[in-house]
Amino acid sequence: MTTRGQQTQVVRGRRRWLVTLAALLCATGDARTAHAAAGLLERLRNVLPAAPVRALVQGPRNYLWVATSVGLSRYDGRRFVFVGQTEGLTGAVAALTLDPKGNVWAVGDGGALLQITGDHTRRISVDQLEVPHVLLAVPHEVWIGDDAGVVLVKLNENGTHTEARLKVSMPLPRVHALETDAQGVVWAGGDEGLWRIEGQSLNQVWVQPA
């Protein structure tokens, strides 16, 4: 029959053995240790993404959507969860917006365009994108401003889409802002000034003399 003192010594011995084993695994670079460390880092990353924030929108269910330099994160008031990585939205998120129906739209620096409707995430591949800066989503259309102007993505009811880059005279505007007015006209602002979208063209608005 073992005494309480002997049991305490056994427990302490086991703890010392575990600490020694952990130190040896770390020192020898054990693959399983590295994998476990990577998993821990990923869990911490999902808890608190300490990264520069580029844009914020509040979507359905009062989720706060956060565009960061390491991905798109959803915050429910308690924890952060990264969204869209499986669909290919990896790395920095360039722009983030809501459409009139409350759907979340995001575009990555690499050109991956995501639509998030409830629990469903849909990726739309846009081939003509340069470096994107801004999104404007309206019913059945998404306008994307980038380093070479504006790309219009039209969404079809059957789930397909078409895309077209708007015609523009030189110099090419690097577009950073998009907005629609009360008449439904889309306006673009960029490094070269203000532009009005008419049909399939970007037309620059020149200042009139007083």
Side-chain angles (χ1 to χ4, degrees):
M1 181 174 179
T2 60
T3 65
R4 179 172 297 181
Q6 290 173 329
Q7 291 176 347
T8 302
Q9 290 180 354
V10 170
V11 171
R12 288 177 178 174
R14 287 176 178 175
R15 286 177 180 173
R16 285 195 296 269
W17 179 81
L18 289 173
V19 170
T20 304
L21 178 60
L24 287 172
L25 288 175
C26 291
T28 56
D30 184 87
R32 289 173 296 180
T33 302
H35 180 73
L40 175 60
L41 289 176
E42 180 62 24
R43 289 194 297 275
L44 291 175
R45 184 170 177 258
N46 281 342
V47 171
L48 182 62
V53 173
R54 294 183 170 189
L56 296 169
V57 297
Q58 186 172 28
R61 304 181 187 175
N62 292 326
Y63 287 147
L64 188 65
W65 296 85
V66 186
T68 78
S69 62
V70 296
L72 177 64
S73 182
R74 185 189 70 213
Y75 181 59
D76 62 3
R78 295 178 299 173
R79 66 188 300 265
F80 294 89
V81 176
F82 279 81
V83 179
Q85 294 177 338
T86 302
E87 290 78 13
L89 186 66
T90 57
V93 177
L96 182 66
T97 192
L98 294 176
D99 65 19
K101 294 184 178 180
N103 300 320
V104 178
W105 290 87
V107 64
D109 282 353
L113 176 64
L114 250 62
Q115 178 193 29
I116 302 170
T117 305
D119 296 327
H120 177 68
T121 303
R122 169 192 178 193
R123 172 178 174 160
I124 300 172
S125 298
V126 184
D127 297 328
Q128 299 189 41
L129 273 183
E130 301 295 335
V131 179
H133 300 289
V134 63
L135 277 177
L136 174 65
V138 296
H140 310 299
E141 293 179 348
V142 180
W143 304 80
I144 308 174
D146 64 7
D147 272 354
V150 176
V151 173
L152 171 61
V153 180
K154 290 190 175 182
L155 309 173
N156 304 318
E157 293 183 357
N158 61 2
T160 62
H161 75 280
T162 58
E163 61 183 80
R165 178 168 292 282
L166 303 189
K167 298 176 182 178
V168 60
S169 58
M170 297 297 287
L172 295 176
R174 180 180 285 114
V175 174
H176 292 281
L178 290 167
E179 188 57 271
T180 54
D181 63 18
Q183 286 71 42
V185 177
V186 180
W187 297 80
D191 288 356
E192 301 298 329
L194 182 64
W195 304 73
R196 181 174 55 241
I197 296 176
E198 298 172 331
Q200 294 294 314
S201 299
L202 269 175
N203 297 319
Q204 192 163 18
V205 179
W206 294 97
V207 177
Q208 297 296 323

